[in-house]
Amino acid sequence: MLKCNVDAAIFSKHQTIGLGVILRNEFGSVVGCYSKVVNGVSSPKEAEALGLREAARWLLELRVSNVIVELDAKGVYDSFYSKALDRSEFGMLIQDCRSLFLDQNFTLCHVKRQANAAADALAKATSSFASPSFWRDAPPLFGAILASDVSISSH
């Protein structure tokens, strides 16, 4: 079983969004990290949904399945599992995410912010990386954050 943490950061000054995705194995070791900068500024909820969709697409490229995907955006999590029809741009993003998750047997979980600190730090650091960036292990300078990143699920 693999665990994937995802987060987004909005850079209003540059009109961009930074996305950070961290994939770990069952022992908590990083097996891959991905970051990307997306042009355009969205609402925080849309930015998080974009991050979730990008994470699902990356996991598809890696050809992995049975992944637990964690994010700290409660609004995105609630919308993902909602039965309500939402035809907004945000709703379309959520529908894309649902389709990607269903195809690969991914499970979405909401976690507290402190359990998503490494993905948050990676999303915030995207402005200093060439976009998109991929690492097979932890990016430089992320060791301490990854070591303290705990998995505390919220219910």
Side-chain angles (χ1 to χ4, degrees), residues 1-8 20-25 48 51-52 55-56 59 67-74 76-77 81 101 106-120 149-155:
M1 183 63 74
L2 297 170
K3 184 182 88 160
C4 178
N5 289 85
V6 59
D7 207 357
V21 185
I22 298 177
L23 185 63
R24 300 177 203 215
N25 64 20
E48 296 284 353
L52 183 59
L59 293 170
V67 179
I68 297 170
V69 179
E70 297 180 339
L71 78 156
D72 59 22
K74 183 81 163 95
V76 173
Y77 172 82
Y81 286 110
F101 271 57
F106 298 154
T107 302
L108 182 63
C109 295
H110 176 257
V111 294
K112 295 180 180 178
R113 191 169 305 270
Q114 59 266 41
N116 210 33
D120 178 64
D149 206 16
V150 292
S151 183
I152 305 170
S153 297
S154 70
H155 302 280

Side-chain angles (χ1 to χ4, degrees), residues 7 9 13 15 22 24 30 63 69 76 80 103 124 148:
D7 207 357
K13 181 180 176 183
Q15 305 248 329
I22 298 177
R24 300 177 203 215
V30 174
R63 298 180 185 209
V69 179
V76 173
F80 184 88
D103 289 346
K124 289 176 179 172
S148 66

Side-chain angles (χ1 to χ4, degrees), residues 35-108:
S35 71
K36 183 176 183 177
V37 174
V38 178
N39 289 326
V41 176
S42 302
S43 69
K45 199 162 88 167
E46 285 181 354
E48 296 284 353
L50 280 168
L52 183 59
R53 184 176 69 181
E54 193 64 33
R57 287 178 174 171
W58 179 61
L59 293 170
L60 285 170
E61 285 179 24
L62 295 177
R63 298 180 185 209
V64 296
S65 60
N66 297 319
V67 179
I68 297 170
V69 179
E70 297 180 339
L71 78 156
D72 59 22
K74 183 81 163 95
V76 173
Y77 172 82
D78 290 343
S79 295
F80 184 88
Y81 286 110
S82 173
K83 303 278 189 234
L85 180 61
D86 182 350
R87 293 193 174 153
S88 68
E89 185 174 337
F90 173 74
M92 295 296 123
L93 283 170
I94 293 297
Q95 186 57 44
D96 285 350
C97 293
R98 286 184 191 131
S99 297
L100 292 165
F101 271 57
L102 186 60
D103 289 346
Q104 295 300 311
N105 196 23
F106 298 154
T107 302
L108 182 63

